[in-house]
Every structure is written in structure tokens, then in C-alpha cells.
């Protein structure tokens, strides 16, 4: 039996978080949503998260700092991070912070799941 991929969605817009949860669960992923980026590292460890979907602009916190923090944490540093942002020039900043990939909002769910699958395949 294949284990279900667990995705942590970090977005301070609960509407977006819930929408992503619904969409990704439809594709067979297990999804945990948090609006608290400072809990991300703890959740990754506790829940054995396979991939983090991280918004770049989170109230009071820069998503690139959250990503860099994950990368610096030896327990979870290898966890793939896919960052998302409505800022068109955010991609290079996100990758510089250690994100595996970047997707611009708004995005099609097919593009999102494709990026997720590519990142996960690279982790094998």
C-alpha cells in the first residue's frame, strides 16, 4: 500500500488554505493547513510532512524566512518546499531561500499538482 503524501499548507488566508486542502484531498493527498507560519517547523516534525506549500506573504512573517528556517533545521531540512505568491518576481527570492520550486498565484490546480509530483519524484 502506498503511503499517502502529507502536505502542509501554510497560508494566512484561511479561505485559500481550505480551498487548497479540498482540492489537494481530491487528488488523494493528505493535507494539514496552518495559518501560523511559526508552527510550520513543529508541524513538519510532528506530522511527518512530505511537502510544504508555503505562501510567501504571510501576515507579519516573510515566507522566505520560514523556508530558510526549515532548511536550517537539521531534523527537517530536506523537506521539500513549494512556495507560492501573487508577486510576479517572487520566484528567484523563494528559490534563494531554499524553496524547491515556486508557483505564481493564481494558479491552476493541475499546474500545482504537477509541480508537487515533480518535486516528490526528485526526492525518491
Amino acid at each position: 500500500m502506498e503511503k499517502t503524501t502529507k502536505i502542509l499548507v501554510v497560508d494566512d488566508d484561511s479561505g485559500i488554505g481550505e480551498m487548497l486542502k479540498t482540492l489537494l484531498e481530491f487528488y488523494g493527498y493528505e493535507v494539514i493547513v496552518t495559518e501560523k507560519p511559526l508552527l510550520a517547523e513543529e508541524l513538519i516534525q510532528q506530522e511527518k510532512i512530505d511537502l510544504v506549500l508555503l505562501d510567501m506573504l504571510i501576515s507579519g512573517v516573510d515566507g522566505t524566512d520560514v523556508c530558510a528556517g526549515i532548511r536550517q533545521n537539521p531534523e527537517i531540512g530536506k523537506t521539500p518546499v513549494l512556495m507560492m505568491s501573487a508577486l510576479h518576481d517572487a520566484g528567484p527570492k523563494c528559490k534563494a531561500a531554499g524553496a524547491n520550486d515556486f508557483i505564481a498565484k493564481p494558479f491552476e490546480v493541475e499546474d500545482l499538482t504537477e509541480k508537487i509530483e515533480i518535486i516528490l519524484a526528485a526526492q525518491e
Side-chain angles (χ1 to χ4, degrees):
M1 189 189 129
E2 239 183 77
K3 85 174 189 62
T4 311
T5 298
K6 285 178 98 171
I7 297 178
L8 175 65
V9 174
V10 186
D11 196 316
D12 63 350
D13 181 329
S14 59
I16 291 177
E18 286 309 311
M19 182 193 71
L20 285 169
K21 180 177 166 71
T22 305
L23 289 169
L24 290 169
E25 282 176 346
F26 176 78
Y27 280 85
Y29 299 106
E30 191 177 329
V31 183
I32 296 165
V33 179
T34 183
E35 294 171 43
K36 300 189 172 72
L38 302 177
L39 288 179
E41 291 186 36
E42 199 179 313
L43 284 166
I44 293 167
Q45 279 170 299
Q46 279 175 354
E47 302 289 342
K48 300 187 175 27
I49 295 295
D50 298 302
L51 181 134
V52 182
L53 187 54
L54 173 63
D55 192 24
M56 184 177 164
L57 289 177
I58 313 170
S59 56
V61 182
D62 187 330
T64 54
D65 292 340
V66 178
C67 183
I70 292 168
R71 288 289 170 258
Q72 288 157 7
N73 182 329
E75 301 282 318
I76 56 170
K78 298 264 186 276
T79 307
V81 178
L82 174 55
M83 290 191 68
M84 52 187 176
S85 173
L87 297 173
H88 65 92
D89 62 344
K93 288 179 193 154
C94 292
K95 289 192 173 156
N100 296 65
D101 205 347
F102 168 80
I103 190 163
K105 290 176 168 180
F107 46 75
E108 296 296 324
V109 70
E110 289 80 14
D111 295 337
L112 177 64
T113 53
E114 190 181 326
K115 279 185 183 278
I116 289 170
E117 288 305 320
I118 290 168
I119 292 172
L120 292 172
Q123 300 297 309
E124 305 282 302

